[in-house]
Amino acid sequence: MTDAGWVVGVDSGGSGLRIALARAADARPVGTVTSGEPVRTGPGGIEAAHLLAQVLPAVEAMLGRAGAGDVVALAVGAAGMATLGDELRAVLPGALDRALGVRRLALAADAVTAYAGALGQRPGAVVAGGTGLIALGTDLTTWRRADGWGHLLGDCGSGAWIGRAGLEAAMRAFDGRRGGSPALLARAEAWFGPAAGLPGALYPRTDRPAVLASFAPEVAHCATAGDEVSTGILRQAAAHVAEAAAAVCPAEGASEVALTGGLFKMGDPLLVPLRAQLAEQLPHARPTSAAGDPLAGSLAIAGWLATDTLRLPTEPQLLQLTR
C-alpha cells in the first residue's frame, strides 16, 4: 500500500481536458488545470501524444507549486475510451512511467469516472446525461451499460434527443400536422431562423448533436409556460432516462441511483417526471445526489489505486489497470 505521495486525475471530454492533483491519502484536489482544447482523435483513436502534451506540463506545474513529492498513481477518464482508447492503452503506461515515474495507472471510460465521482464504490447505477446519455451500473462484480450509442442510434432522453423532438414538433406546427407546437415553432425560428431553412442549417453541421442539444432548454422553457407538447416530450425523456437506469441497476440488494451531468440542471420540467419514473421502474433503489463529477471520480480512482483499496470491477474496455 502507498499512502504517501501525490495522485493525479484526468478528465478528457469533448469540451476539453481537466487535470487535478491530490494527496494519495485523501484525494482532495490541491490544484486543478483546465484546457479548452479537446484531445484529438486520429486514425489510431484518441491521440496519446496530444493528451501527454497537455497533461505532463500541467502536472509538473502543479507539483512545482505544491512542493516536493512523487506521483504514485494516475487515472485518466476519457470520452470514447471504450471504442477509441487502443492508442492510449498502448502508449500511456510506458510514457507516464518514463516522464513521471508513475507505475500505477488506471485508464477508464468517462462513464466509469462519472460513476466513481457520483457513487464512489457503492453498488448502484449512474446516469450521465448531457448532449448524449449513458447509464452504467455495477454490483461491484461486473459492469452493465445501457445506451450511449449516439444521437442516431440512441442517447434517448438526452439533450440532443429532447432538442430533436422539440424541433420535430416545431416542424409539425409549421406544416400544420398533428402533434405540432406553435410555441416550439416560435422558439425554433427565434433560435435558428425561418423554419424552412432549418434542414439546411442542421444537416451539414459536424457538431449536430450539440446543436440539437442547444434547443433542449427551449423545450423546458415552453413546458414551464404550459405547452402540452413540450411537457409530453420531457415526460417521454424522463421515461427513457429511467429505463436506462433500470437496465443497469443491480436487481438485488441495496442499491443507489444517481444522476450526473448538465442535462439534469434543466430543473423541475424534467426532474419531476423523472422522479416519478424512477420510483415506478426502480422501486428497490434509492435515489441519491451525485457526490462529485467525473474529474473527482478520476482523482478518487487514482487514490484507491495508490492505497490498494480499489474495489470497482476491471474490464478491458471500461477500466484497465497497470500496477
Side-chain angles (χ1 to χ4, degrees), residues 212-239:
L212 291 171
S214 72
F215 193 66
E218 300 299 320
V219 179
H221 173 81
C222 290
T224 301
D227 181 58
E228 293 184 1
V229 172
S230 299
T231 299
I233 289 171
L234 294 179
R235 188 182 301 117
Q236 186 61 51

Side-chain angles (χ1 to χ4, degrees), residues 137-166:
T138 183
D139 56 3
L140 303 184
T141 301
T142 60
W143 292 105
R144 295 187 66 183
R145 165 189 169 161
D147 215 335
W149 305 123
H151 75 291
L152 293 178
L153 299 177
D155 286 355
C156 298
S158 68
W161 186 95
I162 292 169
R164 192 215 60 81

Side-chain angles (χ1 to χ4, degrees), residues 175-311:
D175 291 342
R177 290 179 286 152
R178 289 191 301 176
S181 165
L184 287 171
L185 175 60
R187 297 310 304 158
E189 292 194 319
W191 197 252
F192 295 106
L198 190 55
L202 279 179
Y203 293 157
R205 296 285 293 262
T206 57
D207 59 344
R208 193 182 312 123
V211 176
L212 291 171
S214 72
F215 193 66
E218 300 299 320
V219 179
H221 173 81
C222 290
T224 301
D227 181 58
E228 293 184 1
V229 172
S230 299
T231 299
I233 289 171
L234 294 179
R235 188 182 301 117
Q236 186 61 51
H240 285 315
V241 174
E243 287 165 1
V248 302
C249 191
E252 298 178 356
S255 296
E256 297 176 83
V257 179
L259 310 173
T260 184
L263 176 69
F264 304 110
K265 296 177 182 177
M266 196 173 292
D268 283 350
L270 176 64
L271 294 181
V272 169
L274 179 52
R275 284 192 286 265
Q277 285 289 333
L278 289 172
E280 177 182 332
Q281 297 192 41
L282 282 164
H284 66 287
R286 181 173 70 87
T288 189
S289 299
D293 65 7
L295 180 60
S298 292
L299 206 53
I301 289 172
W304 297 326
L305 186 58
T307 56
D308 291 328
T309 55
L310 181 63
R311 296 188 294 116

Side-chain angles (χ1 to χ4, degrees), residues 41-47 79-89 317:
T41 299
I46 303 168
E47 293 187 2
M81 180 72 79
T83 54
L84 299 171
D86 286 349
E87 184 175 317
L88 296 186
R89 286 186 280 268
Q317 302 304 308

